[in-house]
Amino acid sequence: MYTNCCTLTYELAPHVLAAANEYGLDGLRRITSKFMADNITTETACAIIDSAVLNQQKELVKRVLTFIEEHTEDCFASQCFLEISDATVSFLLRSDLLRIDELEILNYIK
């Protein structure tokens, strides 16, 4: 915060985004959101959207939702899907563009 320097990792980024959002550090929030948006994979997408939804980062939510809609089954099968909040699951289920059968969605949610 005092050095204007931050080394982000996938594991650290959601926590940094939450802190930046809480303390109104707009520059850090932008950098962290960009880092997360640039590092979306099927293994990280659910954790990223969870952080974006909980921290109300609309642009990041749009970008990662598009990715999840294109890679739904792989994202839902990832370990991080099991760790997302109920609010994020609810948000994801509102999408009409998920590329997976509804029965499979229910199986992943169980």
Side-chain angles (χ1 to χ4, degrees), residues 86-102:
D86 293 343
T88 303
V89 171
S90 176
F91 175 81
L92 287 171
L93 294 180
R94 285 186 225 126
S95 172
D96 292 329
L97 301 176
L98 296 176
R99 294 183 183 172
I100 190 171
D101 184 66
E102 289 178 4

Side-chain angles (χ1 to χ4, degrees), residues 1-6 25 28:
M1 200 163 98
Y2 299 107
T3 63
N4 245 2
C5 181
C6 180
L25 303 170
L28 184 58

Side-chain angles (χ1 to χ4, degrees), residues 35-52:
F35 173 83
M36 294 170 86
D38 291 345
N39 290 285
I40 301 170
T41 68
T42 56
E43 292 300 317
T44 64
C46 291
I48 292 171
I49 199 163
D50 194 40
S51 181

Side-chain angles (χ1 to χ4, degrees), residues 2-76:
Y2 299 107
T3 63
N4 245 2
C5 181
C6 180
T7 302
L8 292 171
T9 64
Y10 159 72
E11 294 83 11
L12 185 61
H15 303 290
V16 172
L17 182 60
N21 194 43
E22 182 175 342
Y23 295 109
L25 303 170
D26 294 333
L28 184 58
R29 182 175 35 232
R30 280 190 300 275
I31 290 168
T32 306
S33 290
K34 183 177 178 349
F35 173 83
M36 294 170 86
D38 291 345
N39 290 285
I40 301 170
T41 68
T42 56
E43 292 300 317
T44 64
C46 291
I48 292 171
I49 199 163
D50 194 40
S51 181
V53 167
L54 296 175
N55 290 291
Q56 302 170 344
Q57 300 301 299
K58 293 178 183 177
E59 291 302 315
L60 181 57
V61 167
K62 284 185 211 175
R63 187 155 174 196
V64 71
L65 179 59
T66 299
F67 181 90
I68 291 172
E69 289 168 344
E70 293 172 359
H71 304 92
T72 307
E73 190 159 1
D74 291 335
C75 291
F76 280 25

